[in-house]
Amino acid sequence: MMLHIDWSFLSWELLRGFVLKGFIFSLVLTVIATLGGVLFGTLLALMRLSGKKWLMAPATIYVNGMRSIPLVMVILWFFLLVPLIIGRPIGAEASAIITFVAFEAAYFSEIMRAGIQSVPRGQVFAGQALGMTYSQNMKLVVLPQAFRNMLPVLLTQTIILFQDTSLVYAIGAYDMLKGFDVAGKNFGRPVEAYLAAAVAYFVICYSLSWAVKRLHKKIAIIR
């Protein structure tokens, strides 16, 4: 028995009514998790590179711990345990945002640590020779170069992050995958809906990956 695929149910009205809301949330979640992850990840990277054990130890435990646990488990744990601790639910969307920022900080931390270590030591010594403090050296000399060196990797991790937003489906958050799922159930076409979702994720992520490769080539030429 052959499976009959019918794409006639797909329309702009369907996408606008069911999928667009989920796509916007997936996009917002990606942007917030990226910005928050880079901010806290940079802080964690600086802690690990500080040379002070009281800063290095908690940062190392946090990064290694988060990187050793599947994201979907962190999402479920946070969604189920936090309401028990604070005594009230915080909602699937808010839970997803906080979880992604906390989780992605560990990955962006390793990227930023590699970026900071990629800056030639001569640049650091030059800053010190000019009388810069450690914080001034990091802010004005090291971090700008580290961000430039790691920009393609940061953007690649952001694309992976966008793909991972589909995992919030596990706690009922209305992301892009959830939008396709609801559309498929409402129109009785779940197979077509999931295939359409796969195509949508592929087109978006492939296009972004192509743009990152182009950017990487331009940065390599500037160097």
Side-chain angles (χ1 to χ4, degrees):
M1 181 178 178
M2 295 184 63
L3 179 65
H4 176 64
I5 304 296
D6 182 10
W7 298 103
S8 61
F9 84 105
L10 288 175
S11 65
W12 169 244
E13 287 73 20
L14 179 144
L15 296 176
R16 184 175 59 184
F18 294 95
V19 180
L20 184 59
K21 174 186 174 183
F23 171 73
I24 292 174
F25 176 72
S26 293
L27 188 61
V28 169
L29 177 57
T30 300
V31 172
I32 294 176
T34 298
L35 295 177
V38 170
L39 177 62
F40 290 111
T42 301
L43 179 61
L44 288 168
L46 292 175
M47 289 172 65
R48 296 190 70 183
L49 294 172
S50 66
K52 301 176 180 178
K53 290 185 178 180
W54 63 277
L55 289 175
M56 294 171 60
T60 301
I61 292 172
Y62 181 88
V63 171
N64 291 338
M66 279 294 188
R67 286 167 56 88
S68 301
I69 304 172
L71 175 55
V72 67
M73 292 182 66
V74 179
I75 293 172
L76 289 170
W77 286 348
F78 192 93
F79 180 70
L80 296 173
L81 294 179
V82 170
L84 295 178
I85 296 173
I86 65 176
R88 61 181 179 85
I90 62 173
E93 284 74 17
S95 178
I97 289 173
I98 297 172
T99 303
F100 266 77
V101 171
F103 187 85
E104 292 299 326
Y107 284 85
F108 283 116
S109 170
E110 290 298 273
I111 295 173
M112 288 310 305
R113 188 161 70 103
I116 292 171
Q117 291 176 327
S118 72
V119 177
R121 296 298 297 172
Q123 299 284 336
V124 178
F125 296 146
Q128 293 174 344
L130 292 173
M132 291 184 179
T133 63
Y134 176 80
S135 60
Q136 289 175 329
N137 212 342
M138 279 291 173
K139 180 180 178 181
L140 301 175
V141 178
V142 178
L143 287 180
Q145 295 184 69
F147 274 110
R148 188 191 67 180
N149 294 342
M150 292 294 102
L151 185 58
V153 183
L154 289 171
L155 293 176
T156 298
Q157 180 62 30
T158 301
I159 296 172
I160 296 172
L161 197 164
F162 177 77
Q163 295 173 339
D164 287 343
T165 60
S166 61
L167 294 176
V168 301
Y169 177 87
I171 58 174
Y174 202 105
D175 69 315
M176 188 168 76
L177 179 59
K178 181 70 172 181
F180 277 106
D181 176 67
V182 172
K185 289 178 179 177
N186 276 269
F187 287 86
R189 292 291 178 180
V191 175
E192 289 87 343
Y194 282 118
L195 287 175
V199 171
Y201 277 104
F202 173 80
V203 170
I204 293 171
C205 295
Y206 182 83
S207 300
L208 293 174
S209 297
W210 179 83
V212 169
K213 288 181 181 179
R214 297 272 297 181
L215 177 63
H216 194 192
K217 291 181 180 179
K218 289 184 178 181
I219 292 178
I221 291 174
I222 293 175
R223 290 178 186 170

Short mmCIF file of all heavy atoms in Angstrom, two decimals, residues 158-207:
data_model
loop_
_atom_site.label_atom_id
_atom_site.label_comp_id
_atom_site.label_asym_id
_atom_site.label_seq_id
_atom_site.Cartn_x
_atom_site.Cartn_y
_atom_site.Cartn_z
N THR A 158 24.74 29.20 16.47
CA THR A 158 23.41 29.81 16.48
C THR A 158 22.45 29.04 15.58
O THR A 158 21.27 28.86 15.90
CB THR A 158 23.48 31.27 16.04
OG1 THR A 158 24.35 32.00 16.92
CG2 THR A 158 22.11 31.93 16.06
N ILE A 159 22.95 28.57 14.44
CA ILE A 159 22.12 27.77 13.53
C ILE A 159 21.73 26.46 14.20
O ILE A 159 20.57 26.02 14.13
CB ILE A 159 22.88 27.50 12.22
CG1 ILE A 159 23.13 28.81 11.47
CG2 ILE A 159 22.09 26.54 11.32
CD1 ILE A 159 24.03 28.67 10.27
N ILE A 160 22.69 25.83 14.88
CA ILE A 160 22.40 24.60 15.62
C ILE A 160 21.37 24.89 16.71
O ILE A 160 20.45 24.09 16.96
CB ILE A 160 23.69 24.02 16.23
CG1 ILE A 160 24.67 23.61 15.12
CG2 ILE A 160 23.38 22.83 17.14
CD1 ILE A 160 26.04 23.20 15.63
N LEU A 161 21.51 26.05 17.34
CA LEU A 161 20.57 26.46 18.38
C LEU A 161 19.16 26.57 17.81
O LEU A 161 18.19 26.13 18.44
CB LEU A 161 21.02 27.80 18.97
CG LEU A 161 20.46 28.28 20.31
CD1 LEU A 161 21.33 29.39 20.86
CD2 LEU A 161 19.02 28.75 20.21
N PHE A 162 19.03 27.16 16.62
CA PHE A 162 17.72 27.27 15.99
C PHE A 162 17.10 25.90 15.75
O PHE A 162 15.91 25.69 15.97
CB PHE A 162 17.82 28.04 14.67
CG PHE A 162 16.51 28.13 13.93
CD1 PHE A 162 15.53 29.03 14.33
CD2 PHE A 162 16.25 27.31 12.84
CE1 PHE A 162 14.32 29.11 13.66
CE2 PHE A 162 15.04 27.39 12.16
CZ PHE A 162 14.08 28.29 12.58
N GLN A 163 17.92 24.95 15.32
CA GLN A 163 17.42 23.59 15.13
C GLN A 163 16.97 22.99 16.47
O GLN A 163 15.94 22.31 16.54
CB GLN A 163 18.52 22.72 14.52
CG GLN A 163 18.93 23.12 13.12
CD GLN A 163 20.14 22.33 12.63
OE1 GLN A 163 20.89 21.77 13.42
NE2 GLN A 163 20.33 22.30 11.32
N ASP A 164 17.73 23.27 17.52
CA ASP A 164 17.41 22.71 18.84
C ASP A 164 16.14 23.30 19.44
O ASP A 164 15.58 22.71 20.38
CB ASP A 164 18.58 22.93 19.80
CG ASP A 164 19.77 22.03 19.48
OD1 ASP A 164 19.58 21.04 18.75
OD2 ASP A 164 20.88 22.32 19.97
N THR A 165 15.70 24.46 18.94
CA THR A 165 14.46 25.03 19.49
C THR A 165 13.27 24.10 19.30
O THR A 165 12.28 24.22 20.03
CB THR A 165 14.15 26.40 18.84
OG1 THR A 165 13.99 26.24 17.42
CG2 THR A 165 15.24 27.42 19.13
N SER A 166 13.37 23.19 18.35
CA SER A 166 12.28 22.24 18.13
C SER A 166 12.07 21.33 19.34
O SER A 166 11.01 20.73 19.50
CB SER A 166 12.54 21.39 16.89
OG SER A 166 13.73 20.63 17.02
N LEU A 167 13.09 21.24 20.22
CA LEU A 167 12.98 20.37 21.41
C LEU A 167 12.00 20.92 22.44
O LEU A 167 11.54 20.16 23.31
CB LEU A 167 14.36 20.19 22.05
CG LEU A 167 15.40 19.44 21.22
CD1 LEU A 167 16.74 19.43 21.93
CD2 LEU A 167 14.94 18.01 20.94
N VAL A 168 11.66 22.21 22.36
CA VAL A 168 10.70 22.76 23.33
C VAL A 168 9.31 22.20 23.09
O VAL A 168 8.40 22.40 23.90
CB VAL A 168 10.67 24.30 23.29
CG1 VAL A 168 12.04 24.88 23.59
CG2 VAL A 168 10.15 24.82 21.96
N TYR A 169 9.15 21.51 21.98
CA TYR A 169 7.90 20.78 21.70
C TYR A 169 7.59 19.82 22.84
O TYR A 169 6.42 19.54 23.14
CB TYR A 169 8.05 20.03 20.38
CG TYR A 169 6.86 19.19 19.98
CD1 TYR A 169 5.80 19.74 19.26
CD2 TYR A 169 6.80 17.84 20.29
CE1 TYR A 169 4.71 18.97 18.88
CE2 TYR A 169 5.71 17.06 19.92
CZ TYR A 169 4.68 17.63 19.21
OH TYR A 169 3.60 16.87 18.85
N ALA A 170 8.64 19.32 23.51
CA ALA A 170 8.47 18.34 24.58
C ALA A 170 7.73 18.91 25.79
O ALA A 170 7.13 18.15 26.55
CB ALA A 170 9.84 17.81 25.02
N ILE A 171 7.76 20.24 25.98
CA ILE A 171 7.07 20.84 27.12
C ILE A 171 5.84 21.64 26.67
O ILE A 171 5.25 22.38 27.46
CB ILE A 171 8.01 21.74 27.94
CG1 ILE A 171 8.60 22.86 27.08
CG2 ILE A 171 9.10 20.92 28.60
CD1 ILE A 171 9.44 23.86 27.87
N GLY A 172 5.48 21.50 25.40
CA GLY A 172 4.26 22.13 24.90
C GLY A 172 4.40 23.57 24.47
O GLY A 172 3.38 24.24 24.22
N ALA A 173 5.63 24.09 24.38
CA ALA A 173 5.83 25.46 23.90
C ALA A 173 5.47 25.53 22.42
O ALA A 173 5.71 24.59 21.66
CB ALA A 173 7.27 25.90 24.13
N TYR A 174 4.91 26.67 22.01
CA TYR A 174 4.43 26.79 20.63
C TYR A 174 5.55 27.33 19.74
O TYR A 174 5.65 28.51 19.46
CB TYR A 174 3.22 27.72 20.56
CG TYR A 174 2.36 27.51 19.33
CD1 TYR A 174 1.14 26.85 19.42
CD2 TYR A 174 2.77 27.95 18.07
CE1 TYR A 174 0.35 26.64 18.31
CE2 TYR A 174 1.99 27.75 16.95
CZ TYR A 174 0.78 27.10 17.07
OH TYR A 174 0.00 26.90 15.94
N ASP A 175 6.42 26.41 19.28
CA ASP A 175 7.49 26.77 18.36
C ASP A 175 7.06 26.43 16.94
O ASP A 175 5.91 26.08 16.69
CB ASP A 175 8.77 26.02 18.73
CG ASP A 175 8.64 24.52 18.47
OD1 ASP A 175 7.59 23.95 18.84
OD2 ASP A 175 9.57 23.93 17.89
N MET A 176 8.00 26.53 15.99
CA MET A 176 7.64 26.29 14.59
C MET A 176 7.19 24.86 14.36
O MET A 176 6.22 24.61 13.63
CB MET A 176 8.83 26.62 13.67
CG MET A 176 8.46 26.59 12.18
SD MET A 176 9.73 27.29 11.11
CE MET A 176 10.93 25.96 11.09
N LEU A 177 7.87 23.89 14.97
CA LEU A 177 7.46 22.50 14.82
C LEU A 177 6.05 22.27 15.37
O LEU A 177 5.25 21.56 14.77
CB LEU A 177 8.46 21.58 15.54
CG LEU A 177 8.15 20.08 15.48
CD1 LEU A 177 8.11 19.59 14.04
CD2 LEU A 177 9.19 19.30 16.29
N LYS A 178 5.76 22.90 16.51
CA LYS A 178 4.43 22.78 17.09
C LYS A 178 3.38 23.36 16.15
O LYS A 178 2.27 22.82 16.02
CB LYS A 178 4.39 23.53 18.43
CG LYS A 178 3.04 23.47 19.15
CD LYS A 178 2.74 22.09 19.69
CE LYS A 178 1.50 22.10 20.56
NZ LYS A 178 1.20 20.76 21.12
N GLY A 179 3.71 24.45 15.47
CA GLY A 179 2.79 25.05 14.51
C GLY A 179 2.44 24.10 13.38
O GLY A 179 1.26 23.95 13.02
N PHE A 180 3.45 23.43 12.84
CA PHE A 180 3.20 22.45 11.78
C PHE A 180 2.39 21.27 12.33
O PHE A 180 1.52 20.74 11.64
CB PHE A 180 4.51 21.96 11.19
CG PHE A 180 5.09 22.86 10.13
CD1 PHE A 180 6.19 23.67 10.40
CD2 PHE A 180 4.53 22.90 8.86
CE1 PHE A 180 6.72 24.49 9.42
CE2 PHE A 180 5.06 23.74 7.88
CZ PHE A 180 6.15 24.53 8.16
N ASP A 181 2.71 20.86 13.55
CA ASP A 181 1.99 19.75 14.16
C ASP A 181 0.51 20.07 14.34
O ASP A 181 -0.35 19.24 14.01
CB ASP A 181 2.62 19.42 15.52
CG ASP A 181 1.86 18.33 16.26
OD1 ASP A 181 1.85 17.18 15.79
OD2 ASP A 181 1.27 18.64 17.31
N VAL A 182 0.21 21.26 14.84
CA VAL A 182 -1.18 21.66 15.04
C VAL A 182 -1.91 21.75 13.70
O VAL A 182 -3.06 21.32 13.56
CB VAL A 182 -1.26 23.01 15.78
CG1 VAL A 182 -2.69 23.53 15.83
CG2 VAL A 182 -0.71 22.86 17.20
N ALA A 183 -1.22 22.30 12.69
CA ALA A 183 -1.82 22.40 11.36
C ALA A 183 -2.14 21.01 10.80
O ALA A 183 -3.21 20.79 10.23
CB ALA A 183 -0.89 23.16 10.42
N GLY A 184 -1.18 20.09 10.96
CA GLY A 184 -1.39 18.73 10.46
C GLY A 184 -2.57 18.04 11.12
O GLY A 184 -3.35 17.34 10.47
N LYS A 185 -2.72 18.24 12.43
CA LYS A 185 -3.83 17.63 13.15
C LYS A 185 -5.16 18.25 12.76
O LYS A 185 -6.18 17.55 12.64
CB LYS A 185 -3.60 17.76 14.65
CG LYS A 185 -2.47 16.89 15.18
CD LYS A 185 -2.25 17.10 16.67
CE LYS A 185 -1.13 16.19 17.18
NZ LYS A 185 -0.85 16.43 18.63
N ASN A 186 -5.18 19.57 12.58
CA ASN A 186 -6.42 20.25 12.23
C ASN A 186 -6.91 19.89 10.84
O ASN A 186 -8.12 19.84 10.60
CB ASN A 186 -6.24 21.77 12.33
CG ASN A 186 -6.44 22.29 13.73
OD1 ASN A 186 -7.54 22.65 14.13
ND2 ASN A 186 -5.37 22.31 14.51
N PHE A 187 -5.97 19.63 9.92
CA PHE A 187 -6.35 19.32 8.55
C PHE A 187 -6.28 17.83 8.25
O PHE A 187 -6.49 17.41 7.11
CB PHE A 187 -5.47 20.09 7.56
CG PHE A 187 -5.77 21.56 7.49
CD1 PHE A 187 -5.20 22.44 8.38
CD2 PHE A 187 -6.66 22.06 6.55
CE1 PHE A 187 -5.49 23.80 8.34
CE2 PHE A 187 -6.96 23.41 6.49
CZ PHE A 187 -6.37 24.29 7.39
N GLY A 188 -5.95 17.03 9.26
CA GLY A 188 -5.88 15.59 9.06
C GLY A 188 -4.75 15.16 8.15
O GLY A 188 -4.85 14.12 7.50
N ARG A 189 -3.66 15.95 8.12
CA ARG A 189 -2.51 15.64 7.25
C ARG A 189 -1.22 15.69 8.07
O ARG A 189 -0.31 16.49 7.79
CB ARG A 189 -2.44 16.65 6.10
CG ARG A 189 -3.57 16.53 5.09
CD ARG A 189 -3.44 15.24 4.31
NE ARG A 189 -4.54 15.07 3.36
CZ ARG A 189 -4.64 14.01 2.57
NH1 ARG A 189 -3.71 13.06 2.62
NH2 ARG A 189 -5.66 13.88 1.74
N PRO A 190 -1.06 14.82 9.07
CA PRO A 190 0.14 14.88 9.91
C PRO A 190 1.44 14.55 9.17
O PRO A 190 2.48 15.14 9.44
CB PRO A 190 -0.14 13.84 11.00
CG PRO A 190 -1.13 12.90 10.38
CD PRO A 190 -1.98 13.76 9.48
N VAL A 191 1.37 13.60 8.23
CA VAL A 191 2.58 13.22 7.49
C VAL A 191 3.08 14.39 6.66
O VAL A 191 4.27 14.75 6.68
CB VAL A 191 2.31 12.00 6.58
CG1 VAL A 191 3.54 11.70 5.72
CG2 VAL A 191 1.94 10.79 7.42
N GLU A 192 2.17 15.02 5.91
CA GLU A 192 2.54 16.16 5.07
C GLU A 192 3.05 17.32 5.93
O GLU A 192 3.98 18.03 5.56
CB GLU A 192 1.35 16.62 4.24
CG GLU A 192 0.95 15.68 3.12
CD GLU A 192 -0.02 14.59 3.58
OE1 GLU A 192 -0.13 14.37 4.80
OE2 GLU A 192 -0.67 13.97 2.71
N ALA A 193 2.43 17.50 7.10
CA ALA A 193 2.83 18.60 7.98
C ALA A 193 4.26 18.41 8.48
O ALA A 193 5.06 19.35 8.48
CB ALA A 193 1.87 18.70 9.16
N TYR A 194 4.59 17.19 8.89
CA TYR A 194 5.95 16.94 9.38
C TYR A 194 6.98 17.01 8.25
O TYR A 194 8.12 17.46 8.45
CB TYR A 194 6.02 15.58 10.09
CG TYR A 194 5.46 15.62 11.49
CD1 TYR A 194 4.35 14.84 11.84
CD2 TYR A 194 6.03 16.43 12.47
CE1 TYR A 194 3.83 14.88 13.12
CE2 TYR A 194 5.50 16.47 13.76
CZ TYR A 194 4.40 15.70 14.07
OH TYR A 194 3.89 15.74 15.35
N LEU A 195 6.59 16.56 7.05
CA LEU A 195 7.48 16.70 5.90
C LEU A 195 7.72 18.17 5.58
O LEU A 195 8.84 18.59 5.28
CB LEU A 195 6.90 15.97 4.69
CG LEU A 195 6.94 14.44 4.72
CD1 LEU A 195 6.21 13.87 3.52
CD2 LEU A 195 8.38 13.95 4.73
N ALA A 196 6.65 18.96 5.64
CA ALA A 196 6.77 20.40 5.37
C ALA A 196 7.66 21.06 6.42
O ALA A 196 8.46 21.95 6.11
CB ALA A 196 5.39 21.05 5.36
N ALA A 197 7.54 20.62 7.68
CA ALA A 197 8.39 21.15 8.75
C ALA A 197 9.86 20.84 8.48
O ALA A 197 10.74 21.70 8.65
CB ALA A 197 7.96 20.58 10.09
N ALA A 198 10.12 19.61 8.04
CA ALA A 198 11.50 19.22 7.73
C ALA A 198 12.07 20.07 6.60
O ALA A 198 13.22 20.51 6.66
CB ALA A 198 11.55 17.74 7.35
N VAL A 199 11.25 20.31 5.57
CA VAL A 199 11.69 21.14 4.45
C VAL A 199 11.96 22.57 4.93
O VAL A 199 12.96 23.19 4.54
CB VAL A 199 10.63 21.15 3.32
CG1 VAL A 199 10.98 22.18 2.26
CG2 VAL A 199 10.51 19.77 2.71
N ALA A 200 11.09 23.10 5.78
CA ALA A 200 11.25 24.46 6.28
C ALA A 200 12.54 24.60 7.07
O ALA A 200 13.31 25.55 6.88
CB ALA A 200 10.05 24.84 7.14
N TYR A 201 12.80 23.65 7.98
CA TYR A 201 14.04 23.69 8.77
C TYR A 201 15.26 23.57 7.86
O TYR A 201 16.27 24.26 8.07
CB TYR A 201 14.05 22.57 9.81
CG TYR A 201 13.30 22.91 11.08
CD1 TYR A 201 12.04 22.38 11.34
CD2 TYR A 201 13.86 23.76 12.03
CE1 TYR A 201 11.35 22.68 12.51
CE2 TYR A 201 13.18 24.07 13.21
CZ TYR A 201 11.92 23.53 13.43
OH TYR A 201 11.24 23.84 14.58
N PHE A 202 15.17 22.69 6.86
CA PHE A 202 16.30 22.50 5.95
C PHE A 202 16.60 23.78 5.17
O PHE A 202 17.76 24.21 5.08
CB PHE A 202 16.01 21.36 4.98
CG PHE A 202 17.06 21.21 3.90
CD1 PHE A 202 18.26 20.56 4.17
CD2 PHE A 202 16.86 21.75 2.64
CE1 PHE A 202 19.24 20.44 3.19
CE2 PHE A 202 17.83 21.62 1.64
CZ PHE A 202 19.03 20.97 1.93
N VAL A 203 15.58 24.40 4.60
CA VAL A 203 15.77 25.60 3.79
C VAL A 203 16.37 26.73 4.64
O VAL A 203 17.32 27.40 4.23
CB VAL A 203 14.44 26.05 3.16
CG1 VAL A 203 14.59 27.43 2.52
CG2 VAL A 203 13.97 25.04 2.12
N ILE A 204 15.81 26.93 5.83
CA ILE A 204 16.30 28.01 6.70
C ILE A 204 17.74 27.76 7.12
O ILE A 204 18.61 28.64 7.00
CB ILE A 204 15.39 28.14 7.93
CG1 ILE A 204 14.00 28.63 7.54
CG2 ILE A 204 16.01 29.11 8.95
CD1 ILE A 204 12.98 28.58 8.66
N CYS A 205 18.02 26.57 7.62
CA CYS A 205 19.36 26.27 8.14
C CYS A 205 20.40 26.17 7.04
O CYS A 205 21.55 26.61 7.23
CB CYS A 205 19.31 24.98 8.97
SG CYS A 205 18.30 25.12 10.46
N TYR A 206 20.03 25.61 5.89
CA TYR A 206 20.98 25.53 4.79
C TYR A 206 21.33 26.92 4.27
O TYR A 206 22.50 27.22 3.98
CB TYR A 206 20.42 24.68 3.65
CG TYR A 206 21.38 24.50 2.49
CD1 TYR A 206 22.38 23.52 2.54
CD2 TYR A 206 21.31 25.32 1.37
CE1 TYR A 206 23.28 23.37 1.49
CE2 TYR A 206 22.20 25.18 0.32
CZ TYR A 206 23.18 24.20 0.38
OH TYR A 206 24.08 24.06 -0.65
N SER A 207 20.33 27.78 4.17
CA SER A 207 20.57 29.15 3.70
C SER A 207 21.49 29.90 4.65
O SER A 207 22.41 30.61 4.24
CB SER A 207 19.24 29.90 3.56
OG SER A 207 18.39 29.26 2.63
#
